[in-house]
Amino acid sequence: MSLKRFLFFLLTAVFFVCALPVCGYAWDSSAKSAVVIEKDSGRVLYNKAGDWELPMASTTKIMTAYVALRYGNLNDIVEVSENAAGVEGSSMYLEKGEKITLENLLYGLMLLSGNDAAVAVAEAVGGSVDRFVEMMNETAADLGLSHTHFGNPNGLPSDTHYTTALELAEITRAAMNEPKFAEIVSTKSKSIPWEGREYNREMTNHNKLLSRLDGCVGVKTGYTEKAGRCLVSAVTRDGMTLICVTLNAPDDWNDHITLHNTMFNDYRQTALISSDEVIDKLRIAGGFLGNTAVTADREYIFPVSDSDDINIETELSDVRLPVKAGDTVGSGTLTVNGELYGSFELLAVSDINLVPVKKETIWQDLKSNLNYIFGYWAQMLS
């Protein structure tokens, strides 16, 4: 092979490698920013510019609904204001003076992406739109989010309205733990009373993935010219729920289908640490004074791929007698690919007493007591 051809192939290979996305997959999402996380652990499985601050259009309403569910009463009757009825953009066609429950407003908010519903919810729960937006930002701070700020409850363009794919995934993770939120966003269609009319208000969820993607359970679409196509979806399969977020993704439906199918193929939900599993055994003075099984004080269930390097390290404490079941006798850490994921305490399963149980004969009892006393002081002196 000539030197010229060799350099051509070398440069082509270098270009190909450099073009691979940082997430480690040759396929790339159409989104400016995209992430996939596992709901229970929060582990990030896919990350493409997930920390970029971008507008999120109507996916804003995930936080709107979450705040409303935290602070509002679903049975409250809301009278629609002129301000709410006159909001531009997507609508559930609320009318000034119409009376509707907060619960039905949330269906209109999440299924039809009603901007009018967002304002009506904000006024009902916060007392005013401005106060409700403050509640949204306070909730974001409570969730530990530092790259998210809300300027309104519906996602209309604003310079003070932005988030990141990673932080929007965290908002969705919190919201999906609210049973009513999960119920609403998984609803394909809903019929609710329409005050002043002889027929009901019929609503069909804008989220096409509920019908197109196996296991899809939500959550929200969004679009503005500034934000582009935004989409958040959640899919549950085999006991694992993944949340996918794409911001400014021209091919968002196919992006989500591909991302979910790829992640479910590559990862499986695994109990890395179980509170029912014996992790170690505690032996006092080499077992001379007694021993007990040791378990963790919590469980760690985690999405794992074949390429993950899982490491669990434990360390027993310098324990003194007596030991009671449930006592902390050590600690441990869990690392995944060299990154600390969690820590836990080690608990004794059974008692270890200084005075042994009664033996069959006096000599056995005396011998056992002398052994314990000798072992105890040997432990103390050591």
Side-chain angles (χ1 to χ4, degrees):
M1 179 185 297
S2 68
L3 179 60
K4 187 175 181 179
R5 284 177 59 82
F6 172 78
L7 290 175
F8 170 80
F9 285 117
L10 178 62
L11 290 173
T12 300
V14 169
F15 174 81
F16 176 76
V17 170
C18 292
L20 292 177
V22 295
C23 55
Y25 290 89
W27 173 85
D28 193 13
S29 163
S30 72
K32 278 190 176 179
S33 177
V35 300
V36 179
I37 70 168
E38 193 272 319
K39 182 176 80 70
D40 292 334
S41 68
R43 185 182 183 189
V44 178
L45 309 184
Y46 177 95
N47 186 351
K48 176 186 177 182
D51 57 355
W52 285 9
E53 293 180 357
L54 295 168
M56 65 285 211
S58 283
T59 59
T60 297
K61 291 161 186 164
I62 296 170
M63 179 64 99
T64 304
Y66 179 52
V67 172
L69 288 168
R70 289 185 70 188
Y71 298 105
N73 185 329
L74 291 174
N75 296 319
D76 281 353
I77 305 298
V78 179
E79 183 172 343
V80 178
S81 70
E82 182 177 359
N83 185 40
V87 176
E88 63 177 301
S90 56
S91 175
M92 66 177 293
Y93 304 104
L94 294 172
E95 299 170 344
K96 178 186 175 182
E98 178 182 352
K99 293 181 175 63
I100 184 172
T101 65
L102 179 62
E103 179 178 7
N104 285 337
L105 278 176
L106 292 179
Y107 275 101
L109 177 78
M110 301 308 289
L111 272 65
L112 296 180
S113 197
N115 291 338
D116 50 356
V119 173
V121 166
E123 292 176 338
V125 177
S128 70
V129 172
D130 288 345
R131 175 57 193 138
F132 187 83
V133 171
E134 288 178 2
M135 294 166 67
M136 295 172 73
N137 287 316
E138 289 165 1
T139 303
D142 291 343
L143 293 173
L145 310 182
S146 57
H147 297 281
T148 295
H149 191 273
F150 296 99
N152 58 64
N154 43 41
L156 290 174
S158 167
D159 291 338
T160 62
H161 197 87
Y162 55 85
T163 189
T164 70
L166 281 169
E167 295 197 351
L168 185 52
E170 285 298 321
I171 293 169
T172 306
R173 182 185 175 203
M176 288 297 288
N177 285 325
E178 291 282 345
K180 190 63 182 181
F181 180 92
E183 175 188 322
I184 291 172
V185 298
S186 66
T187 300
K188 294 181 180 179
S189 62
K190 182 74 173 178
S191 178
I192 63 174
W194 198 332
E195 187 183 42
R197 308 202 182 190
E198 296 180 355
Y199 50 88
N200 287 342
R201 184 182 261 115
E202 303 295 337
M203 300 184 289
T204 300
N205 201 318
H206 290 178
N207 185 2
K208 298 177 183 179
L209 293 180
L210 290 171
S211 300
R212 292 184 180 180
L213 184 57
D214 179 37
C216 185
V217 291
V219 291
K220 189 70 188 73
T221 60
Y223 173 80
T224 65
E225 187 174 344
K226 180 179 180 180
R229 296 181 62 85
C230 300
L231 182 60
V232 180
S233 65
V235 173
T236 299
R237 296 178 191 168
D238 299 324
M240 180 168 70
T241 298
L242 302 185
I243 295 169
C244 178
V245 177
T246 53
L247 299 177
N248 200 334
D251 195 21
D252 54 359
W253 300 121
N254 288 325
D255 284 352
H256 281 243
I257 291 170
T258 301
L259 282 167
H260 278 296
N261 288 337
T262 301
M263 296 306 116
F264 276 107
N265 181 65
D266 290 353
Y267 290 88
R268 61 193 179 280
Q269 197 77 318
T270 306
L272 299 180
I273 297 174
S274 171
S275 56
D276 297 327
E277 178 187 357
V278 174
I279 291 182
D280 207 335
K281 196 161 188 177
L282 174 66
R283 297 174 176 83
I284 305 296
F288 190 64
L289 298 179
N291 57 72
T292 177
V294 172
T295 61
D297 68 335
R298 67 192 66 188
E299 291 187 332
Y300 281 104
I301 301 176
F302 201 73
V304 174
S305 72
D306 291 338
S307 62
D308 281 329
D309 178 21
I310 309 298
N311 186 38
I312 299 171
E313 294 186 357
T314 60
E315 183 176 357
L316 294 172
S317 303
D318 183 14
V319 178
R320 304 296 182 179
L321 292 175
V323 174
K324 300 297 182 185
D327 283 355
T328 300
V329 294
S331 61
T333 58
L334 168 65
T335 59
V336 181
N337 301 327
E339 187 173 334
L340 179 65
Y341 172 70
S343 58
F344 53 92
E345 293 184 342
L346 298 176
L347 307 180
V349 172
S350 57
D351 297 349
I352 305 177
N353 295 308
L354 176 59
V355 180
V357 297
K358 189 174 182 180
K359 299 296 185 294
E360 294 179 359
T361 69
I362 294 176
W363 292 110
Q364 286 177 322
D365 193 41
L366 177 61
K367 179 181 177 181
S368 181
N369 273 290
L370 289 172
N371 284 339
Y372 264 74
I373 292 169
F374 173 78
Y376 176 77
W377 282 106
Q379 181 195 28
M380 292 291 287
L381 292 172
S382 67

